Amino acid sequence: MKRALVSVSDKTGLVEFVSQLCELGYEIISTGGTKKALENAGIQTIGISDVTGFPEIMDGRVKTLHPKVHGALLCVRDNETHVQALKENEIEYIDLVCVNLYPFKETVLKEGVTHEEIIENIDIGGPSMLRSASKNYRYIPVICDPKDYDKVITELKENGETSLTTREHLAAKVFRHTARYDAMIADYLTNKTEEKFPESITITYDKVQDLRYGENPHQSAAFYKGMNPKYSLANATQLHGKELSYNNIQDGNAAIEILKDFEGQYAAVGVKHMNPCGVGIGNSIEEAWDKAYEADPVSIFGGIVALNDVVSVPLAEKLSKIFLEIIIAPDFEPEAFEILSKKKNIRLMKLDTTLEVNNKLKFTNVNDGMLIQDMDTHQITKEDLRCVTNRKPTEEEIEQLLFAWKVVKHVKSNAIVLVKDNMTIGVGAGQMNRVGSAKIAIEQAGEKAKSSVMGSDAFFPMPDTVEEAVKAGVTAIIQPGGSIKDQLSIDVCNEHGIAMVYTGVRHFKH
């Protein structure tokens, strides 16, 4: 008679699966809560202590770590020496393993959980059994995911055994499962010891969905989420529309990152190709949207919009008049949702914009490598500004300068942003020189550039950008400062009565 070792934390589909194993002639070896659940369902099991001849000790910490378990799992069955060792030590084969692990992730996320509780939910025996059996997948199918129960049962019923290909796929899944588990434990303990950049790092993500394609149709892609997504598209609820694409997710992420910098204000953000095309704040979410739209009514076509307040009926009517890919908001009034959902292809995403930002580090992959840095969450206040020109900015200009600084942080370098009346009026992004970005932003702003303020993500190495600002009618500039030729730009500002403030911080975004 064949034997199956079953010990699971996730008991989804367990009784049905094991019942079918019994019908196929398997004896069931089990432990703890799994044994109790099976016996309550009328399934006879063999206790692990009956197999090992040794009691469970230390509150169950030690029960499966025994040669009669691991010898049965690791025996190479066409190796005469291995088989003889089993016989000499009265070890019986185990022919199938079904194990998944203590709920470490769920325990860490529990409110009020103690460090001791978390440590007790580090599984030792489970990963050991999974690894032993998976190393020996030539002979033993190993199941760690209830989603694989049906496939295994089907093959056992049709062929009397699982195929080698199936066992290989199951083994690969097991090692991903245990690697993920160990990565979560390592992450928890590393954070506890406050090591930011340890000697090695393993990160783990769970698949959300396969995507139709990547940035372009010839590229395949998938979307994964982190261990505890909070202020993230992975934590958003899609209320309407077709599946998100790779580019949708990139743009949506850019939009909510910008939006987060305006917490406490009614704000609307429009994004195209991961750059803001329009950002506005106002006394209501409707006013904020009006400003964001007016900022660039051309580029917003086919864009992504993020809002930090509930979408009302009047706002929905305005949004419905243009083609948008995604609208992200804390919620939609029922009638507003009805208006917007009439558009078949628009994605409506519900995301609590007050959620905490979970990311402390930013990961960027390069060929066969990974760059890791702190997330750029730096904020400045009025008190942080240092005026370097003869004319100081007015209170109104300071307010607009701080607005520009929040936006320019999220624009690809070289970045120039023009702001007026709590809205962007010109955005120059990603040019190879700063004056090129300034010319783009000024051209976009047109006549609105007069009496606007300018934000730059980095210092001016030449006075040419300031000279363009003078011609456009800009009255105040915010920039990091720090060029060896700073004085040239200061002199141009003084000559034309422009106020300029330094932040001492740059915001490169490549």
Side-chain angles (χ1 to χ4, degrees):
M1 182 176 283
K2 290 188 174 183
R3 284 181 151 193
L5 174 54
V6 184
S7 179
V8 295
S9 171
D10 181 356
K11 296 178 175 57
T12 305
L14 173 68
V15 171
E16 183 182 356
F17 176 61
V18 174
S19 296
Q20 292 181 87
L21 287 177
C22 292
E23 290 172 10
L24 291 165
Y26 279 81
E27 283 187 323
I28 308 299
I29 304 167
S30 194
T31 66
T34 305
K35 187 176 191 305
K36 184 177 181 181
L38 292 174
E39 290 179 344
N40 286 342
I43 298 172
Q44 187 175 350
T45 66
I46 302 169
I48 198 71
S49 295
D50 296 324
V51 173
T52 63
F54 200 90
E56 295 184 18
I57 61 173
M58 301 177 186
D59 301 318
R61 277 191 167 200
V62 180
K63 53 192 174 190
T64 59
L65 299 171
H66 194 280
K68 288 204 172 182
V69 174
H70 289 274
L73 298 178
L74 286 165
C75 172
V76 177
R77 298 186 183 191
D78 54 7
N79 182 313
E80 291 184 8
T81 304
H82 285 205
V83 173
Q84 185 61 33
L86 251 63
K87 290 177 180 176
E88 289 173 359
N89 291 283
E90 298 180 341
I91 299 173
E92 295 186 49
Y93 288 128
I94 293 174
D95 304 285
L96 180 147
V97 170
C98 176
V99 171
N100 52 56
L101 309 177
Y102 293 169
F104 181 81
K105 174 182 174 180
E106 292 76 6
T107 302
V108 170
L109 298 179
K110 274 170 47 181
E111 192 171 340
V113 68
T114 65
H115 176 64
E116 289 70 26
E117 287 179 85
I118 291 170
I119 293 301
E120 283 307 309
N121 273 278
I122 296 177
D123 201 331
I124 302 300
S128 300
M129 289 187 289
L130 285 173
R131 290 171 61 84
S132 291
S134 293
K135 179 176 180 177
N136 213 19
Y137 73 83
R138 282 173 57 199
Y139 309 99
I140 304 173
V142 190
I143 305 104
C144 64
D145 184 352
K147 293 175 184 174
D148 294 316
Y149 289 167
D150 287 345
K151 181 175 180 60
V152 170
I153 289 296
T154 297
E155 290 195 14
L156 290 175
K157 285 180 176 179
E158 291 178 355
N159 309 311
E161 63 179 2
T162 52
S163 69
L164 180 60
T165 299
T166 293
R167 295 196 295 275
E168 197 163 41
H169 279 292
L170 291 171
K173 180 178 271 193
V174 162
F175 283 111
R176 292 195 299 270
H177 185 59
T178 56
R180 172 183 180 274
Y181 196 76
D182 284 340
M184 290 189 294
I185 297 167
D187 181 68
Y188 169 74
L189 290 173
T190 300
N191 287 335
K192 192 173 189 304
T193 55
E194 298 182 350
E195 289 184 82
K196 186 183 290 184
F197 302 119
E199 77 290 340
S200 65
I201 189 163
T202 304
I203 54 179
T204 181
Y205 293 90
D206 296 328
K207 185 188 279 189
V208 176
Q209 66 191 83
D210 288 308
L211 301 173
R212 285 172 294 147
Y213 53 82
E215 279 184 297
N216 301 289
H218 62 274
Q219 296 169 271
S220 57
F223 181 32
Y224 289 78
K225 65 180 177 180
M227 180 177 168
N228 181 23
K230 293 183 180 179
Y231 186 65
S232 161
L233 284 187
N235 201 29
T237 302
Q238 184 166 347
L239 304 176
H240 174 75
K242 60 186 179 181
E243 286 186 352
L244 297 175
S245 70
Y246 181 98
N247 293 329
N248 289 156
I249 294 167
Q250 289 267 58
D251 287 339
N253 184 69
I256 65 173
E257 281 191 355
I258 300 167
L259 195 67
K260 199 64 177 174
D261 275 339
F262 293 93
E263 205 161 27
Q265 301 170 287
Y266 291 110
V269 174
V271 164
K272 284 290 287 292
H273 305 296
M274 296 179 66
N275 278 305
C277 59
V279 181
I281 58 175
N283 295 318
S284 67
I285 196 64
E286 291 81 9
E287 183 184 354
W289 163 249
D290 288 342
K291 290 177 179 292
Y293 175 72
E294 186 185 341
D296 190 349
V298 175
S299 296
I300 194 61
F301 181 85
I304 279 73
V305 170
L307 309 155
N308 61 3
D309 197 36
V310 176
V311 176
S312 64
V313 171
L315 179 53
E317 289 173 341
K318 292 178 181 179
L319 293 167
S320 68
K321 291 176 182 176
I322 57 175
F323 170 57
L324 297 171
E325 290 274 3
I326 307 174
I327 299 173
I328 305 166
D331 210 344
F332 299 78
E333 290 181 359
E335 288 183 47
F337 177 79
E338 188 177 335
I339 292 167
L340 292 167
S341 60
K342 288 177 182 176
K343 299 172 79 77
K344 180 181 176 182
N345 291 327
I346 194 170
R347 289 89 160 176
L348 303 179
M349 310 290 295
K350 180 179 176 180
L351 177 66
D352 183 354
T353 54
T354 65
L355 287 171
E356 176 189 352
V357 175
N358 205 30
N359 295 352
K360 295 178 182 176
L361 298 176
K362 183 176 179 63
F363 299 82
T364 304
N365 68 302
V366 294
N367 286 345
D368 196 32
M370 183 78 75
L371 293 169
I372 305 175
Q373 64 172 344
D374 289 327
M375 289 289 288
D376 186 2
T377 57
H378 192 274
Q379 300 277 356
I380 62 168
T381 65
K382 175 182 175 180
E383 288 69 32
D384 297 315
L385 302 179
R386 180 167 69 92
C387 184
V388 294
T389 51
N390 295 335
R391 186 175 82 78
K392 298 187 185 310
T394 66
E395 287 300 314
E396 171 61 20
E397 285 174 330
I398 288 174
E399 185 179 324
Q400 299 305 304
L401 289 168
L402 291 173
F403 178 94
W405 189 247
K406 288 180 179 180
V407 177
V408 81
K409 179 175 96 170
H410 297 280
V411 179
K412 297 281 186 174
S413 300
N414 289 310
I416 294 289
V417 171
L418 297 186
V419 164
K420 188 177 182 179
D421 298 329
N422 290 326
M423 59 184 280
T424 57
I425 58 171
V427 177
Q431 298 306 298
M432 285 62 72
N433 59 74
R434 193 158 302 280
V435 70
S437 292
K439 288 178 178 179
I440 291 171
I442 290 166
E443 182 182 357
Q444 182 189 344
E447 288 300 313
K448 293 178 184 176
K450 292 178 181 177
S451 301
S452 68
V453 306
M454 174 183 283
S456 174
D457 66 339
F459 61 60
F460 301 141
M462 299 286 181
D464 49 6
T465 302
V466 176
E467 288 165 355
E468 292 297 325
V470 170
K471 287 188 281 185
V474 169
T475 64
I477 296 172
I478 186 168
Q479 58 127 322
S483 169
I484 59 173
K485 296 183 178 180
D486 269 349
Q487 192 59 47
L488 295 177
S489 294
I490 294 170
D491 290 343
V492 174
C493 286
N494 285 334
E495 182 182 348
H496 296 277
I498 293 176
M500 185 158 65
V501 297
Y502 285 177
T503 64
V505 176
R506 77 178 189 201
H507 280 310
F508 276 164
K509 186 178 183 184
H510 291 100

